[in-house]
Amino acid sequence: MQWRLDPIPPDVAGAALGFADLGAMTEAVPYLVSLKPSALELLDSTLLQFVPEAPAVACMLLVEFERETAAGVRGWSAMPSAG
């Protein structure tokens, strides 16, 4: 067996986004995917109930971005807020 490992980019950023319901979360996913995150994880209420510090939300998305520069990582934060 042979492994091919890619180096971890030097700059990483992440966010935890809480949603009132799964419908709102599913509306956000296509936009988040278009930003090309390195990871996108769903935490639903079944899992969140075991996290004492978790906010009172129906679900959370954990989003991680890995980029070659700090400016590239910060670029995702310019996304428009839902209104």
Side-chain angles (χ1 to χ4, degrees):
M1 177 179 287
Q2 185 176 18
W3 294 88
R4 190 184 104 203
L5 302 175
D6 293 328
I8 296 173
D11 290 292
V12 178
L17 307 173
F19 295 89
D21 57 59
L22 288 172
M25 185 268 313
T26 58
E27 290 179 22
V29 169
Y31 179 75
L32 292 169
V33 169
S34 76
L35 298 174
K36 299 183 178 9
S38 53
L40 187 62
E41 294 183 53
L42 167 65
L43 305 177
D44 67 2
S45 59
T46 305
L47 180 62
L48 290 173
Q49 69 181 338
F50 297 107
V51 181
E53 300 85 22
V57 295
C59 58
M60 290 185 85
L61 284 177
L62 303 181
V63 187
E64 182 177 86
F65 296 91
E66 296 175 345
R67 301 291 190 264
E68 294 300 322
T69 65
V73 169
R74 284 191 306 271
W76 73 271
S77 65
M79 67 182 184
S81 61

